[in-house]
Amino acid sequence: MVSQNSKPIEIGVKSFAGCSALANLVLPQASSAVEDSFEKCTLLERRFANGAHGIVAGLVGRFDGFPVHMLCYFQTSTTDEELRLCIENHEVVEESLVDTFGMTPHHVLFSAAETCRELLQVLFDKFPHYVLGWKDVNGKLAMEYLVSNWNPRNKTLLQMALQCWMLSRLESWGATSSMVAMQSKVQATLAEDDKERRSTLWAEAKTEFAKYEIVEATSILEMALWKEKLKSGWSNNGAKRQPLDRGECRCVCGSDVVIPNVVQFLGIVGSNPTRHY
Protein backbone atom coordinates (compact mmCIF):
# COMPACT_ATOMS: atom_id res chain seq x y z
CA MET A 1 0.00 0.00 0.00
CA VAL A 2 1.41 3.39 -1.06
CA SER A 3 1.40 6.12 1.58
CA GLN A 4 -0.81 9.10 0.81
CA ASN A 5 2.23 11.38 1.23
CA SER A 6 4.53 9.39 -1.08
CA LYS A 7 6.36 10.87 -4.03
CA PRO A 8 4.89 10.27 -7.52
CA ILE A 9 5.43 6.75 -8.80
CA GLU A 10 5.66 5.29 -12.28
CA ILE A 11 3.84 2.02 -12.72
CA GLY A 12 5.81 -0.33 -14.95
CA VAL A 13 4.96 -2.80 -17.67
CA LYS A 14 2.20 -5.24 -16.65
CA SER A 15 2.61 -4.31 -12.96
CA PHE A 16 -1.01 -5.13 -12.22
CA ALA A 17 -1.75 -7.25 -15.29
CA GLY A 18 -4.34 -9.93 -14.63
CA CYS A 19 -5.47 -8.52 -11.26
CA SER A 20 -9.11 -8.94 -12.18
CA ALA A 21 -10.31 -8.43 -8.59
CA LEU A 22 -8.37 -5.18 -8.04
CA ALA A 23 -10.96 -2.59 -7.06
CA ASN A 24 -9.32 -0.22 -4.64
CA LEU A 25 -6.05 1.64 -5.09
CA VAL A 26 -4.77 5.13 -4.28
CA LEU A 27 -1.91 6.77 -6.16
CA PRO A 28 0.10 9.88 -5.18
CA GLN A 29 -0.30 13.06 -7.21
CA ALA A 30 1.57 13.18 -10.56
CA SER A 31 1.91 9.40 -10.76
CA SER A 32 2.02 7.77 -14.20
CA ALA A 33 1.79 4.37 -15.89
CA VAL A 34 2.69 2.70 -19.17
CA GLU A 35 -0.17 1.54 -21.35
CA ASP A 36 -0.38 -2.14 -20.33
CA SER A 37 0.17 -1.61 -16.59
CA PHE A 38 -3.44 -2.50 -15.77
CA GLU A 39 -4.05 -5.04 -18.53
CA LYS A 40 -7.01 -7.31 -17.71
CA CYS A 41 -7.77 -5.47 -14.45
CA THR A 42 -11.43 -6.04 -15.20
CA LEU A 43 -13.00 -3.93 -12.47
CA LEU A 44 -10.79 -0.89 -13.10
CA GLU A 45 -11.10 -1.16 -16.89
CA ARG A 46 -14.87 -1.26 -16.51
CA ARG A 47 -14.78 1.85 -14.32
CA PHE A 48 -12.42 4.03 -16.38
CA ALA A 49 -11.91 4.73 -20.07
CA ASN A 50 -8.65 5.42 -21.94
CA GLY A 51 -6.66 2.46 -20.63
CA ALA A 52 -3.90 2.86 -18.05
CA HIS A 53 -3.81 6.64 -18.32
CA GLY A 54 -7.52 6.90 -17.56
CA ILE A 55 -7.16 4.52 -14.62
CA VAL A 56 -4.26 6.50 -13.14
CA ALA A 57 -6.19 9.77 -13.52
CA GLY A 58 -9.05 8.23 -11.56
CA LEU A 59 -6.86 6.79 -8.81
CA VAL A 60 -4.87 9.96 -8.08
CA GLY A 61 -6.53 11.80 -5.21
CA ARG A 62 -8.86 8.82 -4.86
CA PHE A 63 -10.29 9.86 -1.47
CA ASP A 64 -10.11 13.64 -1.63
CA GLY A 65 -13.10 14.86 0.37
CA PHE A 66 -13.73 11.44 1.92
CA PRO A 67 -11.77 11.36 5.20
CA VAL A 68 -13.57 8.30 6.59
CA HIS A 69 -12.84 6.33 3.42
CA MET A 70 -9.23 7.50 3.59
CA LEU A 71 -8.75 6.16 7.12
CA CYS A 72 -10.37 2.86 6.17
CA TYR A 73 -8.02 2.53 3.19
CA PHE A 74 -4.94 3.17 5.31
CA GLN A 75 -6.31 0.88 8.01
CA THR A 76 -2.95 -0.59 9.01
CA SER A 77 -1.97 2.82 10.39
CA THR A 78 -5.43 3.84 11.64
CA THR A 79 -6.63 3.27 15.20
CA ASP A 80 -10.25 2.67 16.07
CA GLU A 81 -10.23 5.88 18.13
CA GLU A 82 -8.99 7.91 15.14
CA LEU A 83 -11.77 6.53 12.97
CA ARG A 84 -14.39 7.13 15.64
CA LEU A 85 -13.30 10.75 16.14
CA CYS A 86 -13.19 11.35 12.38
CA ILE A 87 -16.79 10.20 12.01
CA GLU A 88 -17.91 12.24 15.01
CA ASN A 89 -16.09 15.40 13.87
CA HIS A 90 -17.39 15.35 10.29
CA GLU A 91 -21.00 15.74 9.35
CA VAL A 92 -21.67 12.41 7.69
CA VAL A 93 -24.72 12.43 5.43
CA GLU A 94 -25.72 9.62 3.09
CA GLU A 95 -24.13 11.37 0.08
CA SER A 96 -20.74 11.41 1.82
CA LEU A 97 -20.95 7.70 2.56
CA VAL A 98 -20.50 6.90 -1.13
CA ASP A 99 -17.38 7.96 -3.05
CA THR A 100 -16.86 8.27 -6.81
CA PHE A 101 -16.56 4.47 -7.05
CA GLY A 102 -19.91 4.06 -5.31
CA MET A 103 -17.99 2.58 -2.38
CA THR A 104 -18.97 3.00 1.25
CA PRO A 105 -16.34 2.88 4.01
CA HIS A 106 -17.34 -0.79 4.40
CA HIS A 107 -16.41 -1.48 0.77
CA VAL A 108 -13.03 0.17 1.25
CA LEU A 109 -12.34 -1.74 4.46
CA PHE A 110 -13.40 -5.11 3.02
CA SER A 111 -11.46 -4.76 -0.24
CA ALA A 112 -8.13 -4.69 1.60
CA ALA A 113 -5.96 -7.81 1.80
CA GLU A 114 -6.54 -7.88 5.56
CA THR A 115 -9.41 -6.13 7.29
CA CYS A 116 -9.13 -4.67 10.79
CA ARG A 117 -11.87 -6.04 13.03
CA GLU A 118 -11.71 -3.08 15.42
CA LEU A 119 -12.31 -0.57 12.62
CA LEU A 120 -15.19 -2.65 11.33
CA GLN A 121 -16.81 -2.52 14.76
CA VAL A 122 -16.57 1.29 14.70
CA LEU A 123 -18.41 1.36 11.36
CA PHE A 124 -21.10 -0.91 12.78
CA ASP A 125 -21.47 1.37 15.80
CA LYS A 126 -21.62 4.61 13.82
CA PHE A 127 -23.48 3.83 10.61
CA PRO A 128 -26.93 2.31 9.98
CA HIS A 129 -27.09 -1.38 9.07
CA TYR A 130 -28.72 -0.77 5.70
CA VAL A 131 -25.48 0.74 4.34
CA LEU A 132 -24.23 -2.85 4.05
CA GLY A 133 -26.90 -3.38 1.40
CA TRP A 134 -25.53 -0.68 -0.94
CA LYS A 135 -23.69 -1.72 -4.11
CA ASP A 136 -20.67 0.02 -5.64
CA VAL A 137 -20.24 0.89 -9.33
CA ASN A 138 -19.13 -2.69 -9.97
CA GLY A 139 -22.46 -3.93 -8.66
CA LYS A 140 -20.90 -5.46 -5.55
CA LEU A 141 -21.98 -5.37 -1.94
CA ALA A 142 -19.15 -4.67 0.49
CA MET A 143 -19.42 -8.21 1.86
CA GLU A 144 -18.80 -9.72 -1.56
CA TYR A 145 -15.17 -8.63 -1.37
CA LEU A 146 -14.84 -10.80 1.73
CA VAL A 147 -16.52 -13.71 -0.03
CA SER A 148 -14.02 -13.41 -2.92
CA ASN A 149 -10.95 -13.00 -0.71
CA TRP A 150 -11.62 -16.03 1.50
CA ASN A 151 -9.52 -16.78 4.57
CA PRO A 152 -10.26 -17.61 8.23
CA ARG A 153 -10.07 -13.95 9.27
CA ASN A 154 -12.45 -12.75 6.57
CA LYS A 155 -14.79 -15.61 7.40
CA THR A 156 -15.14 -14.20 10.93
CA LEU A 157 -15.64 -10.66 9.58
CA LEU A 158 -18.31 -11.85 7.15
CA GLN A 159 -20.09 -13.53 10.03
CA MET A 160 -20.06 -10.21 11.93
CA ALA A 161 -21.40 -8.35 8.90
CA LEU A 162 -24.18 -10.86 8.22
CA GLN A 163 -25.19 -10.80 11.88
CA CYS A 164 -25.56 -7.03 11.65
CA TRP A 165 -27.19 -6.85 8.21
CA MET A 166 -29.42 -9.91 8.22
CA LEU A 167 -29.87 -11.79 11.47
CA SER A 168 -30.16 -8.91 13.96
CA ARG A 169 -32.76 -7.26 11.77
CA LEU A 170 -34.87 -10.39 11.54
CA GLU A 171 -34.61 -10.80 15.30
CA SER A 172 -35.73 -7.20 15.85
CA TRP A 173 -38.81 -7.87 13.72
CA GLY A 174 -39.73 -10.77 15.98
CA ALA A 175 -39.51 -13.11 12.98
CA THR A 176 -38.02 -16.03 14.89
CA SER A 177 -38.71 -18.76 12.34
CA SER A 178 -37.38 -16.58 9.52
CA MET A 179 -34.26 -15.80 11.51
CA VAL A 180 -33.60 -19.49 12.14
CA ALA A 181 -34.02 -20.28 8.43
CA MET A 182 -31.75 -17.38 7.47
CA GLN A 183 -29.19 -18.37 10.08
CA SER A 184 -29.02 -21.85 8.53
CA LYS A 185 -28.22 -20.34 5.12
CA VAL A 186 -25.58 -18.04 6.63
CA GLN A 187 -23.86 -20.92 8.42
CA ALA A 188 -23.87 -23.02 5.25
CA THR A 189 -22.17 -20.17 3.38
CA LEU A 190 -19.55 -19.66 6.08
CA ALA A 191 -18.77 -23.39 6.31
CA GLU A 192 -18.23 -23.87 2.55
CA ASP A 193 -14.57 -23.92 1.43
CA ASP A 194 -15.22 -24.46 -2.28
CA LYS A 195 -15.24 -21.02 -3.92
CA GLU A 196 -17.86 -21.76 -6.57
CA ARG A 197 -20.22 -23.49 -4.15
CA ARG A 198 -19.73 -20.70 -1.58
CA SER A 199 -20.66 -18.09 -4.19
CA THR A 200 -23.83 -20.05 -5.00
CA LEU A 201 -24.82 -20.29 -1.34
CA TRP A 202 -24.10 -16.59 -0.87
CA ALA A 203 -26.36 -15.71 -3.83
CA GLU A 204 -29.13 -17.88 -2.37
CA ALA A 205 -28.82 -16.20 1.01
CA LYS A 206 -29.08 -12.73 -0.55
CA THR A 207 -32.12 -13.73 -2.57
CA GLU A 208 -33.86 -15.14 0.49
CA PHE A 209 -33.12 -12.06 2.58
CA ALA A 210 -34.43 -9.80 -0.19
CA LYS A 211 -37.82 -11.49 0.26
CA TYR A 212 -37.83 -10.58 3.94
CA GLU A 213 -36.92 -6.99 3.07
CA ILE A 214 -39.92 -6.84 0.73
CA VAL A 215 -42.20 -7.96 3.57
CA GLU A 216 -40.64 -5.34 5.85
CA ALA A 217 -40.98 -2.51 3.32
CA THR A 218 -44.56 -3.31 2.32
CA SER A 219 -45.62 -3.79 5.94
CA ILE A 220 -44.23 -0.36 6.86
CA LEU A 221 -46.01 1.17 3.89
CA GLU A 222 -49.30 -0.47 4.87
CA MET A 223 -48.97 0.80 8.44
CA ALA A 224 -48.30 4.33 7.15
CA LEU A 225 -51.44 4.20 5.00
CA TRP A 226 -53.43 2.75 7.91
CA LYS A 227 -52.17 5.49 10.24
CA GLU A 228 -53.13 8.19 7.75
CA LYS A 229 -56.62 6.73 7.49
CA LEU A 230 -56.92 6.56 11.28
CA LYS A 231 -56.24 10.29 11.46
CA SER A 232 -59.42 11.00 9.53
CA GLY A 233 -61.40 8.07 10.89
CA TRP A 234 -64.16 8.72 8.41
CA SER A 235 -65.37 7.42 5.08
CA ASN A 236 -67.70 9.06 2.57
CA ASN A 237 -70.43 6.86 1.14
CA GLY A 238 -71.75 9.57 -1.16
CA ALA A 239 -74.52 10.66 1.19
CA LYS A 240 -72.80 11.44 4.48
CA ARG A 241 -69.55 10.80 6.32
CA GLN A 242 -69.41 7.65 8.41
CA PRO A 243 -67.10 6.99 11.42
CA LEU A 244 -64.65 4.08 11.08
CA ASP A 245 -63.05 1.88 13.71
CA ARG A 246 -59.42 0.69 13.56
CA GLY A 247 -60.22 -2.51 11.68
CA GLU A 248 -62.29 -0.71 9.09
CA CYS A 249 -59.56 1.90 8.62
CA ARG A 250 -57.10 -0.86 7.78
CA CYS A 251 -59.44 -2.41 5.21
CA VAL A 252 -60.13 0.87 3.40
CA CYS A 253 -56.71 2.54 3.76
CA GLY A 254 -55.90 1.84 0.11
CA SER A 255 -52.98 -0.53 0.64
CA ASP A 256 -54.44 -3.02 -1.84
CA VAL A 257 -54.08 -0.36 -4.54
CA VAL A 258 -50.94 1.52 -3.46
CA ILE A 259 -48.62 -1.38 -2.54
CA PRO A 260 -48.81 -3.38 -5.81
CA ASN A 261 -48.00 -0.20 -7.75
CA VAL A 262 -45.11 0.73 -5.46
CA VAL A 263 -43.69 -2.81 -5.65
CA GLN A 264 -43.27 -2.42 -9.42
CA PHE A 265 -40.65 0.28 -8.78
CA LEU A 266 -38.76 -2.01 -6.41
CA GLY A 267 -37.99 -4.41 -9.26
CA ILE A 268 -40.29 -7.09 -7.90
CA VAL A 269 -42.33 -7.89 -10.97
CA GLY A 270 -45.04 -10.47 -10.52
CA SER A 271 -44.84 -10.55 -6.72
CA ASN A 272 -47.89 -10.39 -4.51
CA PRO A 273 -46.84 -8.68 -1.28
CA THR A 274 -50.41 -8.38 0.02
CA ARG A 275 -50.46 -12.13 0.58
CA HIS A 276 -48.27 -11.53 3.66
CA TYR A 277 -51.00 -9.60 5.49
Side-chain angles (χ1 to χ4, degrees):
M1 182 179 294
V2 180
S3 169
Q4 54 187 319
N5 298 318
S6 297
K7 295 180 180 179
I9 61 175
E10 181 178 353
I11 302 174
V13 177
K14 296 186 181 297
S15 295
F16 293 100
C19 296
S20 59
L22 182 63
N24 215 14
L25 185 66
V26 175
L27 297 177
Q29 294 289 339
S31 294
S32 60
V34 297
E35 188 53 43
D36 58 357
S37 300
F38 295 95
E39 185 180 28
K40 296 183 180 179
C41 290
T42 312
L43 297 182
L44 292 179
E45 288 176 334
R46 191 183 304 158
R47 179 71 183 94
F48 301 106
N50 303 321
H53 301 297
I55 291 174
V56 169
L59 296 177
V60 168
R62 168 83 169 79
F63 295 121
D64 289 353
F66 296 95
V68 177
H69 292 68
M70 178 75 81
L71 289 177
C72 289
Y73 182 80
F74 292 103
Q75 58 183 280
T76 56
S77 58
T78 300
T79 67
D80 54 342
E81 186 60 22
E82 285 176 324
L83 181 59
R84 193 180 303 276
L85 287 175
C86 179
I87 296 172
E88 292 174 355
N89 293 334
H90 290 80
E91 183 180 359
V92 180
V93 295
E94 288 200 352
E95 290 79 5
S96 68
L97 285 176
V98 179
D99 66 8
T100 54
F101 279 57
M103 284 185 163
T104 65
H106 303 77
H107 282 92
V108 176
L109 201 69
F110 288 164
S111 59
E114 292 188 8
T115 299
C116 177
R117 179 175 181 151
E118 291 71 25
L119 297 187
L120 177 58
Q121 189 59 57
V122 173
L123 297 185
F124 286 163
D125 293 341
K126 293 296 183 180
F127 295 134
H129 59 73
Y130 59 75
V131 174
L132 286 165
W134 294 357
K135 294 181 179 180
D136 62 15
V137 294
N138 295 310
K140 288 179 172 286
L141 297 175
M143 291 166 287
E144 289 174 328
Y145 290 102
L146 293 178
V147 175
S148 299
N149 183 25
W150 199 243
N151 57 56
R153 183 179 181 83
N154 283 354
K155 176 179 177 179
T156 300
L157 297 175
L158 179 61
Q159 186 172 22
M160 290 174 59
L162 293 178
Q163 179 65 44
C164 176
W165 184 48
M166 291 181 175
L167 302 180
S168 294
R169 290 172 65 188
L170 287 171
E171 185 178 14
S172 70
W173 303 344
T176 305
S177 60
S178 297
M179 186 189 72
V180 171
M182 197 72 243
Q183 193 168 36
S184 176
K185 290 185 176 296
V186 167
Q187 292 303 322
T189 302
L190 295 171
E192 184 56 63
D193 291 326
D194 180 77
K195 183 177 181 179
E196 185 175 341
R197 177 58 181 159
R198 183 172 60 251
S199 296
T200 300
L201 291 171
W202 164 245
E204 291 174 355
K206 286 192 301 178
T207 300
E208 188 66 22
F209 186 66
K211 297 176 183 177
Y212 297 133
E213 288 187 304
I214 295 167
V215 176
E216 178 193 34
T218 53
S219 297
I220 292 172
L221 178 54
E222 187 202 23
M223 286 190 288
L225 293 168
W226 186 9
K227 181 179 180 180
E228 189 61 30
K229 192 64 179 177
L230 282 169
K231 287 181 179 179
S232 65
W234 297 83
S235 68
N236 194 327
N237 65 359
K240 61 179 181 178
R241 299 183 73 195
Q242 302 289 333
L244 295 172
D245 62 22
R246 289 177 60 85
E248 289 175 320
C249 283
R250 185 186 184 197
C251 292
V252 297
C253 70
S255 61
D256 57 328
V257 175
V258 173
I259 291 177
N261 285 284
V262 170
V263 162
Q264 293 181 45
F265 294 96
L266 300 178
I268 314 160
V269 180
S271 63
N272 181 21
T274 55
R275 63 185 171 83
H276 299 293
Y277 303 148

